[in-house]
Amino acid sequence: MVKINTCVFISGKGSNLKNLIIHSRNKSFPIKISLVISNNKKAYGINYAKKFKIPFIFINTRLKNYENKILFNFKKYNISFICLAGYMKIISNNLIKKYKRKIINIHPSLLPKFKGLNTFSRMLKNNEKKGGCTVHYVNKKLDSGSTIIQKSFIINKKDNELSLKKKTQKLEYKAYPEAIIKIFKKS
Ligand code: GRF
């Protein structure tokens, strides 16, 4: 089976990156993580790239030509699929056009509810009954591309931001690999 060369974008902890790397080592998993890109030099997730010997680069999104660096490396590593995993920057329209329906993201809410940041505090304020995560295609509008997979859990009265985050991430580690399998089963 020929695996799809994939780039994962991160900004922080990288637990989803770690999970995807582990899944990708399975022969039947459709993608190979061939490159990791971080906009944050201090991102803990870079340690997983190092540990699993995956090439990684840093980008500075404040520089005008940062996108050239991305495109140069996409070419170098023959990247044809992109996973955002806790990447805290907006992907440019140019990249979105070039990689139409090839960029996916994981978001810690049941989209279209709670797009953007601070999802857990807003969910609590709103007395939500359900939490969850969504894997979706990335388009020009923030957290608005079509959904690939959603997983949910019931929120109880004792839940706080931390417990919601833990419950959500537990589901994310299932949802992200499942979404990738689903995409490449279709094509
Ligand atoms: C995840 O909860 C994801 O939903 C959101 O950012 C978080 C990243 O966590 N987009 P990690 O860096 O993968 O641990």
Side-chain angles (χ1 to χ4, degrees), residues 97-113:
K97 252 196 224 160
K98 278 204 165 95
Y99 288 84
K100 205 171 172 222
R101 278 182 93 79
K102 303 280 181 227
I103 310 178
I104 64 173
N105 180 42
I106 187 151
H107 184 78
S109 79
L110 296 169
L111 291 173
K113 284 185 162 184

Side-chain angles (χ1 to χ4, degrees), residues 55-68:
F56 60 90
I57 60 161
F58 295 110
I59 49 164
N60 180 348
T61 55
R62 273 171 301 195
L63 297 181
K64 253 193 185 167
N65 64 349
Y66 83 97
E67 205 166 289
N68 292 340

Side-chain angles (χ1 to χ4, degrees), residues 10-17 84-88 105-109 120 133-134 165 168-169 172-173:
I10 61 166
S11 296
K13 195 171 78 166
S15 65
N16 279 285
L17 166 66
L84 309 183
Y87 181 62
M88 302 304 281
N105 180 42
I106 187 151
H107 184 78
S109 79
F120 304 125
C133 65
T134 306
K165 185 176 176 177
T168 304
Q169 287 217 306
E172 289 184 345
Y173 304 147

Side-chain angles (χ1 to χ4, degrees), residues 21-38:
I21 294 173
I22 289 166
H23 277 83
S24 69
R25 299 181 110 202
N26 185 326
K27 262 192 193 165
S28 63
F29 198 66
I31 65 165
K32 173 184 176 197
I33 315 286
S34 306
L35 178 65
V36 173
I37 295 184
S38 173

Side-chain angles (χ1 to χ4, degrees), residues 11 34 46 52 72 74 110 139 156:
S11 296
S34 306
I46 288 300
F52 291 97
F72 174 85
F74 278 5
L110 296 169
N139 67 8
N156 62 46

Side-chain angles (χ1 to χ4, degrees), residues 81-98:
F81 191 65
I82 297 146
C83 296
L84 309 183
Y87 181 62
M88 302 304 281
K89 295 281 173 185
I90 301 282
I91 296 287
S92 75
N93 286 344
N94 184 38
L95 265 187
I96 290 172
K97 252 196 224 160
K98 278 204 165 95

